[in-house]
Amino acid sequence: MDMDIRDLRVMVTAGAGGIGLEIARAFVREGARVHVCDVDEVALARLATTDAAITSTRCDVASREEVARFFTEGLGKLGGLDCFVNNAGIAGPTGRIDEIDPAEWDRCIAIDLTGQFNCARLAVPHLRESANPSLMNVSSLAGRLGFAMRTPYASAKWGVVGLTRSLALELGPDNIRVNALLPGIIAGERQVRVLTAKAKARGVAFEEMERIAFSYTSLKEYVTPQQLADLVVFVASPRGRMISGQALSVDGDTNMLS
């Protein structure tokens, strides 16, 4: 299926590895032009050798100064912006609320929620100039259900859902589509680390923690980064032009942000 997005100008945060890289590559396969940022300098160096078509900037989305540089460089490379993917995020600490270091709370909120604000506020003026503008904010299943002993992460991801719904209403008159991506249990090393930490905190085996995690999903399978990327590309294409204000849950169902 031709997504009709050749030369679409796309920027992706945390795009040198993991989900962000799969999203960037999926856009490139459809003929889009992509600029990413990442805080991981090793991953950025690797990206320059493996994916020459994807340009990049070193950026911590919690820093407004670095985000401004990311936009200056990205817009300079692309000549404008049609799609922005707010993907950057960290897992944050695992523990009971009275055990969490306040500095770890602050850092998680700064990256997972405020980082999306930092980027969206600079993206929107350029998206208004696009004929096919869209903004995708990556949240989580935690942004719909909440997770015990993951309060910083879950709070940030609930915030992303609120940010998305508000922006969808605010930017609808500008024809800018705004959606949130709520992945379920994603295959990969990061998910293993999260489940391992939660199992340790609860005093249960990894397999039991994995079973509990899947109990929140409709399809009892790991979601792959490639599946997430395919959904993001579709929503950003002209075929997805009527999709806005949605929490796109990649665990078997799609729910409106209401």
Side-chain angles (χ1 to χ4, degrees):
M1 181 185 295
D2 183 2
M3 290 292 104
D4 193 24
I5 58 170
R6 181 165 297 280
D7 292 325
L8 193 78
R9 299 161 299 181
V10 183
M11 294 176 67
V12 183
T13 62
I19 296 170
L21 178 55
E22 290 300 329
I23 291 171
R25 285 172 170 168
F27 273 113
V28 168
R29 284 195 295 271
E30 293 294 330
R33 298 160 55 208
V34 183
H35 186 83
V36 306
C37 77
D38 210 293
V39 73
D40 187 337
E41 295 182 3
V42 173
L44 287 169
R46 183 171 56 246
L47 179 71
T49 62
T50 61
D51 296 81
I54 302 173
T55 55
S56 66
T57 299
R58 195 275 181 198
C59 172
D60 178 348
V61 297
S63 166
R64 293 192 177 104
E65 180 179 318
E66 293 187 21
V67 169
R69 184 173 67 249
F70 170 46
F71 272 84
T72 296
E73 294 183 6
L75 294 169
K77 294 284 188 180
L78 302 176
L81 184 64
D82 301 301
C83 172
F84 192 87
V85 182
N86 255 325
N87 171 65
I90 60 173
T94 298
R96 299 183 183 279
I97 191 69
D98 53 324
E99 300 169 345
I100 290 173
D101 182 342
E104 291 190 272
W105 169 281
D106 291 345
R107 182 63 176 160
C108 186
I109 300 297
I111 296 172
D112 292 7
L113 179 57
T114 306
Q116 295 208 8
F117 163 78
N118 291 342
C119 292
R121 62 184 289 272
L122 297 185
V124 166
H126 300 283
L127 291 174
R128 287 194 178 104
E129 303 300 318
S130 170
N132 178 32
S134 66
L135 173 62
M136 178 66 78
N137 297 325
V138 177
S139 179
S140 166
L141 187 63
R144 183 157 56 90
L145 301 176
F147 287 155
M149 291 189 274
R150 297 286 307 287
T151 50
Y153 180 79
S155 298
K157 293 304 185 178
W158 274 76
V160 169
V161 171
L163 173 67
T164 300
R165 178 55 175 165
S166 300
L167 285 178
L169 294 170
E170 179 180 324
L171 300 176
D174 294 317
N175 294 316
I176 299 174
R177 308 189 301 280
V178 187
N179 293 285
L181 183 66
L182 278 63
I185 313 301
I186 305 169
E189 293 181 3
R190 173 175 167 174
Q191 190 65 67
V192 171
R193 290 195 301 271
V194 168
L195 291 178
T196 299
K198 291 184 73 173
K200 182 179 179 180
R202 292 191 180 200
V204 300
F206 176 88
E207 291 75 17
E208 174 62 10
M209 193 65 248
E210 187 179 46
R211 184 195 67 76
I212 293 170
F214 278 124
S215 73
Y216 291 105
T217 68
S218 17
L219 299 178
K220 313 304 181 185
E221 298 180 15
Y222 281 98
V223 178
T224 69
Q226 293 84 359
Q227 290 167 330
L228 300 175
D230 288 343
L231 177 57
V232 173
V233 169
F234 178 84
V235 173
S237 76
R239 295 174 181 272
R241 67 187 180 278
M242 296 303 293
I243 303 173
S244 189
Q246 299 291 315
L248 304 172
S249 299
V250 191
D251 67 337
D253 59 86
T254 301
N255 300 280
M256 289 189 67
L257 291 174
S258 59

